[in-house]
Amino acid sequence: TQWRRPIFKVVTSPAFELAMTVAVVLNAITMALYIYDPTSAQVSQLTVALITLNYMFLGIYAIEMLLKLVGLGPRKYFRSRANAFDFALVLLGFSEALAQALSADFPFLAAALRAARLTRVLRVFRVLRALRPLRSMVTTIGLSLPAVGSVAV
């Protein structure tokens, strides 16, 4: 349909893919910064900031998911394993947020979903897919280094 075409162009553009790759890398960095030590005031402030960033990234991923669902259509969206995985991660993220809100009633559920959030790190593999040309170049350089070394001798 005509109203989906502009959204399709956005979600299939290299700029959109680059923006989502940057979001994935930044999210991985913020997840790596998470420190659990409730006794430290500084760490507690950091934890609050990281939780806020976690919700921000969840919102970014939810918007990406919705845009792709509309732009590509559900059938084409779910044909991609990466999109299906992203869909599951967004649902997991919202489940975790709900469990955190209810953590007084279900502390184990909140902790289990928080641990499951680590699967989000797997999105970093998207970055590797986007860097195929760079990987090819690095491999070529690596294969040619021994030849360069033999010329230098």
Side-chain angles (χ1 to χ4, degrees):
T1 61
Q2 258 184 336
W3 62 271
R4 280 181 35 191
R5 188 169 292 138
I7 298 171
F8 176 83
K9 285 182 180 181
V10 167
V11 299
T12 58
S13 72
F16 185 81
E17 188 64 32
L18 177 63
M20 292 313 303
T21 300
V22 168
V24 167
V25 169
L26 291 175
N27 187 208
I29 291 169
T30 61
M31 289 178 72
L33 291 173
Y34 188 82
I35 301 167
Y36 183 74
D37 183 5
T39 59
S40 170
Q42 287 180 328
V43 173
S44 295
Q45 290 173 348
L46 176 64
T47 301
V48 169
L50 293 175
I51 289 170
T52 303
L53 286 170
N54 181 51
Y55 289 136
M56 183 189 78
F57 284 115
L58 178 58
I60 289 170
Y61 297 146
I63 290 168
E64 174 200 22
M65 179 190 75
L66 292 173
L67 286 173
K68 283 187 171 184
L69 273 168
V70 171
L72 301 173
R75 194 173 295 153
K76 190 171 184 179
Y77 177 83
F78 284 108
R79 265 191 224 137
S80 164
R81 288 184 187 155
N83 288 339
F85 179 69
D86 290 347
F87 181 85
L89 287 179
V90 169
L91 291 182
L92 180 69
F94 282 115
S95 299
E96 179 195 354
L98 180 63
Q100 274 184 329
L102 302 172
S103 65
D105 298 328
F106 305 102
F108 176 75
L109 178 62
L113 288 171
R114 197 172 305 115
R117 181 185 350 153
L118 294 176
T119 58
R120 242 196 255 176
V121 172
L122 295 175
R123 285 184 75 131
V124 171
F125 288 113
R126 273 175 89 162
V127 174
L128 298 178
R129 186 180 63 209
L131 296 177
R132 275 192 192 144
L134 180 64
R135 184 178 58 193
S136 176
M137 187 173 69
V138 169
T139 301
T140 303
I141 291 170
L143 291 173
S144 57
L145 282 179
V148 172
S150 66
V151 170
V153 173

